[in-house]
Amino acid sequence: MTDVNESTPTTTNQVEMWFDPICPWAWMTSRWLMEVEKVRDIEVTWSVMSLAVLNADRDDLDDSYREMMKTAWGPVRVVIAAAQAHGDQVVKPLYDAMGTRIHLGQVKDYDVVVREALEEVGLPAELAEEAHRETHDDALRHSHERGISLVGTEVGTPIISVEGVAFFGPVVTPAPKGEAAARLWDGCVLVAGTPGFYELKRTRTQGPVFD
């Protein structure tokens, strides 16, 4: 006979999110996932993808975006280099430190972002030099392709995988909190797990709200 006081074991959902530190929409999604962690039994692994890699062979970019892609290599290279040298546990703190400066502080100089972020999380300052090196680009591309392979090439950042079911997004602003975050999570998992479901989208009428 089962003890009525025995608690039913719960299963922690393994979640992986791919991000590029410079993407404001990925930043919004990451803040939402942090809220979900408070109200749902999930464990998030944070992984890198790259807008620079994603857009490398495109010839339809406007000049300003093309120029931005040239500097987009820096932050993501440093995250990869830091993870390889010091372990995956440094990825999220470094992302938080970079994103706070890029998206909340509106710091446009990524060299400054990298330098200050490394100092904040206590990582060696010399890692900043990796922003301008191709040393870890193979590892960067591998991480990027691992995420893209789950959803196809017609998407960008962020990508989320839940127990092997992956999707782009959600793209949302501002990041829902509390039970609102939980409801969005439940809905995303539901539609992503529906066989044959591919897309649900509408035109964005508002930019990221960083609160």
Side-chain angles (χ1 to χ4, degrees), residues 135-198:
T135 311
H136 302 282
D137 283 5
D138 284 347
L140 170 57
R141 288 188 171 90
H142 175 75
S143 180
H144 175 90
E145 292 300 331
R146 193 166 59 82
I148 285 291
S149 69
L150 300 176
V151 292
T153 58
E154 296 178 355
V155 304
T157 174
I159 293 170
I160 291 178
S161 174
V162 186
E163 301 292 348
V165 177
F167 54 89
F168 162 69
V171 176
V172 60
T173 186
K177 295 179 173 60
E179 194 55 33
R183 288 196 300 270
L184 177 57
W185 171 257
D186 294 341
C188 287
V189 173
L190 175 64
V191 297
T194 301
F197 177 83
Y198 291 106

Side-chain angles (χ1 to χ4, degrees), residues 27 92-102 113 116-117 120-121:
W27 179 255
K92 180 59 163 46
L94 191 53
Y95 176 34
D96 290 343
M98 287 183 178
T100 297
R101 287 162 175 78
I102 294 171
V113 167
E116 292 183 352
E120 177 181 323
V121 301

Side-chain angles (χ1 to χ4, degrees), residues 2-3 5-13 41:
T2 302
D3 187 343
N5 293 319
E6 182 179 340
S7 60
T8 302
T10 58
T11 301
T12 300
N13 285 321
D41 194 8

Side-chain angles (χ1 to χ4, degrees), residues 29-48:
T29 303
S30 69
R31 303 308 98 175
W32 162 70
L33 267 185
M34 291 167 61
E35 286 290 313
V36 176
E37 285 182 303
K38 301 174 184 176
V39 291
R40 290 292 185 269
D41 194 8
I42 69 170
E43 183 176 298
V44 184
T45 299
W46 304 90
S47 298
V48 166

Side-chain angles (χ1 to χ4, degrees), residues 35-164:
E35 286 290 313
V36 176
E37 285 182 303
K38 301 174 184 176
V39 291
R40 290 292 185 269
D41 194 8
I42 69 170
E43 183 176 298
V44 184
T45 299
W46 304 90
S47 298
V48 166
M49 63 182 297
S50 170
L51 289 172
V53 172
L54 185 69
N55 292 290
D57 297 323
R58 291 183 56 181
D59 56 10
D60 59 342
L61 303 177
D62 62 47
D63 291 342
S64 61
Y65 196 82
R66 192 182 304 279
E67 286 302 310
M68 185 173 70
M69 288 301 97
K70 292 179 181 178
T71 60
W73 288 96
V76 77
R77 279 173 168 168
V78 171
V79 175
I80 284 286
Q84 293 202 321
H86 300 278
D88 291 338
Q89 71 274 6
V90 306
V91 171
K92 180 59 163 46
L94 191 53
Y95 176 34
D96 290 343
M98 287 183 178
T100 297
R101 287 162 175 78
I102 294 171
H103 305 300
L104 303 186
Q106 293 294 299
V107 179
K108 305 300 184 183
D109 187 333
Y110 294 155
D111 286 337
V112 172
V113 167
V114 164
R115 184 171 64 250
E116 292 183 352
L118 289 170
E119 181 178 2
E120 177 181 323
V121 301
L123 288 170
E126 55 265 26
L127 279 170
E129 299 171 6
E130 301 300 330
H132 303 284
R133 295 174 176 170
E134 300 180 3
T135 311
H136 302 282
D137 283 5
D138 284 347
L140 170 57
R141 288 188 171 90
H142 175 75
S143 180
H144 175 90
E145 292 300 331
R146 193 166 59 82
I148 285 291
S149 69
L150 300 176
V151 292
T153 58
E154 296 178 355
V155 304
T157 174
I159 293 170
I160 291 178
S161 174
V162 186
E163 301 292 348

